[in-house]
Amino acid sequence: SFQGIYKYLERCFSDFKQRGFVVGYDTRGQVTSNCSSKKLAKLTAAVLLAKDVPVYFFSTYVPTPFVPYAVQQLKAVAGVMITASHNRKEDNGYKVYWENGAQITAPHDKEIIKCIEECVEPWNGSWNENLVDTSPLRQDPLKKICDCYMEDLKKICYHRELNEQTNLKFVHTSFHGVGHDYVQAAFKAFGFQPPIPVPEQKDPDPDFSTVKCPNPEEGESVLELSLRLAEKESAKVVVATDPDADRLAVAEQQENGRWKVFTGNELAALFGWWMFSCWKENRSEDADVKNVYMLATTVSSKILRAIALKEGFHFEETLPGFKWIGSRVKDLLDNGKEVLFAFEESIGFMCGTSVLDKDGVSAAVVIAEMAAYLEHKNLTLAQKLIEIYETYGYHISKTSYFLCYDPPTIKRIFEKLRNFDTPQCYPSFCGIYNILHVRDVTTGYDSSQPNKKSVLPVSKSSQMITFTFQNGCVATLRTSGTEPKIKYYAEMCALPEQSDRTVLEEELQQLIEALIANFLEPDKNGLIWRSA
């Protein structure tokens, strides 16, 4: 399949052979099929080297964000990262990054698939994975990229003296993946003592033997080992990077000894507050808040919108998936704007703009600096989160999913919403809850726009409908791009004066129950509930 990518790049870039291509990989290994990420990476590199294209091939596994970072630093035409991120151990896959350092979006993805379909016969020499070890066109960018990355990281370090003095201890788990060395180096770059690693999970293990699934989003159940170690070491904060280190989970021990595992949306509230405060304290005289941006995907919390409205900077939404954020941020930067932070609710964060993709390594050390700063003020992350909600309005969200292995059923569920009581008509109520607006990104419809057209690009290949309710709740139903799931996202966005959290939580819960019963009808449609 990689030959197709080569063919497309050759078409796009006349200077392909001068500028070269970046190849990175994680630590996955398919013991059964003898097909590891590294082997796939070597085959990928061989296709290019056989065609006399210079290849920057990392000599060891790296975090996913290192590939887009290297593409920009080395001015390569593109890059590929062989990874299946946090999917099951049986999976593998790859991500392609364009010359701008962002993941590819339309039209490149469609064009590449077309080229892949035209190139099914393997070319001569392209199965010779040893080319990587013998070709003079292969360079190892590891040291240069690692050094540059850590240097660039210091641009978002604002309290080095506090970091050097803090008594706060941190535990880091790398979930049997690539993160350990890089997170250690990042803490060092910020002046911290190294975080305490979880010994059983610090080294790469393609079988992920100590977790039932290698996805830190699953919360406390998969963080078991790191929380127990933190208790033993009296470390108050645990940071967890997923196997390819582009996402971050965080837990903090509370006064009562219990652990709070933050959701992606809660962490975003903290990051948004922090990155803006740091910008404000360090800005130059002529820096204009109207030039400042933060971004989120449309299924993520709207907390940044609330902060932006009150503080005067801009907030923008994109389609789900960090590739949309990456390419939009690149546009903004090219137009002289300053982007401080962007996120997606599935614990993907981009602090600063050195990497135009989500990055768990930088996010981990920024959270550590924030925790050290707050501790100095006798506050915890959880207490600060409540302060943020009280200032900007509570944003309480819940995200979950149903499994459905029958594509026609999924299609039927969404078609019913488009023809609810009468043909061509979306629902105006969900149980007792009045619906103000409907946006359907699959068809490009948006009832809140004067011309009824969605501002976000139409995305015909996947299902996604968003309902805005009279009571301030926003809920989205969508299909997953990579798994047989119907996901739902719901959030109560309250104004600062509505500060009764319990009331808001109950209302959200009841609305979700109505959404499931009326719109998804799990029993009738044979949907499998997510095992709690």
Side-chain angles (χ1 to χ4, degrees):
S1 71
F2 196 75
Q3 297 172 169
I5 298 179
Y6 166 79
K7 199 167 150 183
Y8 183 62
L9 288 165
E10 196 182 34
R11 214 180 281 172
C12 289
F13 298 105
S14 56
D15 54 355
F16 189 12
K17 292 189 176 173
Q18 286 76 54
R19 289 167 61 189
F21 189 92
V22 177
V23 178
Y25 51 92
D26 69 5
T27 53
R28 284 186 177 249
Q30 269 46 49
V31 187
T32 45
S33 63
N34 180 25
C35 195
S36 65
S37 291
K38 184 167 191 175
K39 183 174 175 146
L40 290 170
K42 283 181 148 186
L43 291 169
T44 299
V47 169
L48 295 169
L49 292 167
K51 290 278 181 196
D52 297 326
V53 174
V55 173
Y56 297 100
F57 184 92
F58 283 101
S59 53
T60 183
Y61 52 83
V62 289
T64 292
F66 273 41
V67 171
Y69 182 71
V71 169
Q72 282 193 292
Q73 287 291 318
L74 302 165
K75 301 189 168 41
V77 296
V80 65
M81 172 73 188
I82 312 281
T83 175
S85 184
H86 54 278
N87 281 28
R88 306 169 316 158
K89 66 179 182 195
E90 290 74 34
D91 296 352
N92 217 328
Y94 57 82
K95 292 183 172 175
V96 182
Y97 294 89
W98 214 235
E99 60 175 339
N100 60 9
Q103 263 195 73
I104 54 167
T105 51
H108 304 309
D109 47 5
K110 301 282 184 295
E111 291 295 323
I112 286 174
I113 288 167
K114 245 176 19 208
C115 288
I116 288 173
E117 286 161 356
E118 291 163 15
C119 290
V120 285
E121 287 300 308
W123 299 332
N124 256 352
S126 62
W127 287 105
N128 177 6
E129 60 178 285
N130 300 332
L131 269 180
V132 165
D133 306 316
T134 57
S135 169
L137 286 170
R138 178 259 168 146
Q139 291 178 51
D140 175 15
L142 185 69
K143 188 179 179 333
K144 176 181 172 174
I145 291 303
C146 206
D147 292 349
C148 287
Y149 175 92
M150 295 304 161
E151 208 40 54
D152 262 346
L153 197 53
K154 293 176 185 169
K155 293 179 188 162
I156 50 173
C157 174
Y158 297 102
H159 299 278
R160 175 175 297 277
E161 318 69 58
L162 279 180
N163 301 345
E164 284 165 358
Q165 291 154 16
T166 186
N167 295 318
L168 209 53
K169 286 162 83 181
F170 301 92
V171 160
H172 170 236
T173 171
S174 35
F175 264 79
H176 299 297
V178 305
H180 173 76
D181 296 341
Y182 303 100
V183 171
Q184 293 275 320
F187 269 68
K188 193 175 158 190
F190 266 47
F192 281 108
Q193 289 296 306
I196 303 159
V198 177
E200 303 89 329
Q201 296 175 338
K202 102 175 167 53
D203 296 319
D205 166 10
D207 288 330
F208 306 117
S209 45
T210 67
V211 285
K212 70 172 197 304
C213 82
N215 184 355
E217 262 182 289
E218 295 293 332
E220 205 157 338
S221 59
V222 288
L223 294 171
E224 183 69 30
L225 281 175
S226 43
L227 301 182
R228 298 299 80 82
L229 176 66
E231 287 163 359
K232 203 174 90 197
E233 298 278 356
S234 350
K236 288 274 178 259
V237 176
V238 168
V239 288
T241 46
D242 74 335
D244 66 327
D246 62 352
R247 303 186 318 143
L248 177 78
V250 180
E252 181 186 54
Q253 194 171 29
Q254 305 303 296
E255 309 269 287
N256 61 11
R258 289 213 193 101
W259 287 89
K260 174 174 173 63
V261 180
F262 294 91
T263 66
N265 285 332
E266 290 173 331
L267 289 172
L270 288 162
F271 278 122
W273 156 74
W274 177 254
M275 296 304 285
F276 185 70
S277 310
C278 293
W279 177 84
K280 218 162 49 177
E281 273 166 41
N282 295 283
R283 68 179 180 178
S284 56
E285 288 296 292
D286 55 348
D288 182 1
V289 71
K290 291 188 175 52
N291 207 36
V292 169
Y293 282 72
M294 291 196 195
L295 290 86
T297 62
T298 184
V299 293
S300 303
S301 170
K302 311 277 181 254
I303 185 67
L304 297 183
R305 183 180 68 186
I307 300 176
L309 280 169
K310 201 157 175 169
E311 301 294 347
F313 61 89
H314 290 275
F315 167 69
E316 281 193 8
E317 285 191 332
T318 70
L319 288 173
F322 230 92
K323 60 182 185 184
W324 299 104
I325 286 185
S327 59
R328 179 62 186 142
V329 168
K330 184 73 177 96
D331 287 347
L332 288 167
L333 295 175
D334 290 346
N335 286 299
K337 309 296 184 201
E338 199 173 349
V339 180
L340 303 183
F341 173 66
F343 85 105
E344 61 183 2
E345 57 72 40
S346 49
I347 59 175
F349 308 105
M350 184 193 92
C351 300
T353 51
S354 292
V355 176
L356 299 184
D357 198 8
K358 52 185 186 273
D359 181 354
V361 178
S362 57
V365 71
V366 171
I367 271 286
E369 180 169 80
M370 190 191 310
Y373 170 87
L374 290 169
E375 202 244 359
H376 179 68
K377 301 238 183 287
N378 287 322
L379 283 169
T380 62
L381 293 166
Q383 287 164 335
K384 183 67 212 184
L385 180 65
I386 289 170
E387 278 188 12
I388 294 168
Y389 285 147
E390 284 174 349
T391 309
Y392 300 106
Y394 271 96
H395 283 60
I396 299 166
S397 55
K398 180 166 193 265
T399 298
S400 193
Y401 59 82
F402 287 90
L403 289 164
C404 179
Y405 295 98
D406 181 48
T409 299
I410 295 182
K411 202 164 161 50
R412 196 172 66 239
I413 289 171
F414 282 91
E415 281 310 314
K416 185 183 168 186
L417 292 172
R418 295 183 181 110
N419 305 279
F420 200 68
D421 290 322
T422 48
Q424 309 281 298
C425 212
Y426 293 90
S428 49
F429 279 89
C430 176
I432 57 166
Y433 297 101
N434 188 9
I435 296 171
L436 273 186
H437 290 299
V438 179
R439 182 190 64 198
D440 185 342
V441 172
T442 312
T443 63
Y445 171 79
D446 185 344
S447 68
S448 72
Q449 294 297 323
N451 64 359
K452 305 290 183 228
K453 282 190 168 39
S454 164
V455 180
L456 291 177
V458 179
S459 174
K460 287 196 180 68
S461 56
S462 60
Q463 303 278 1
M464 183 165 96
I465 304 180
T466 301
F467 303 95
T468 304
F469 292 88
Q470 190 115 40
N471 65 1
C473 182
V474 180
T476 295
L477 300 175
R478 71 179 277 250
T479 48
S480 162
T482 48
E483 299 156 300
K485 288 175 179 175
I486 299 179
K487 297 185 171 184
Y488 64 83
Y489 307 78
E491 180 171 49
M492 281 300 293
C493 307
L495 296 163
E497 48 274 18
Q498 292 172 283
S499 59
D500 191 339
R501 187 172 183 142
T502 344
V503 173
L504 294 168
E505 276 172 348
E506 278 168 16
E507 176 118 358
L508 179 67
Q509 193 45 45
Q510 286 165 5
L511 190 136
I512 288 172
E513 283 164 17
L515 194 73
I516 292 170
N518 293 288
F519 290 176
L520 294 176
E521 306 177 279
D523 297 343
K524 187 183 123 185
N525 290 312
L527 306 181
I528 303 159
W529 294 69
R530 171 188 178 174
S531 54

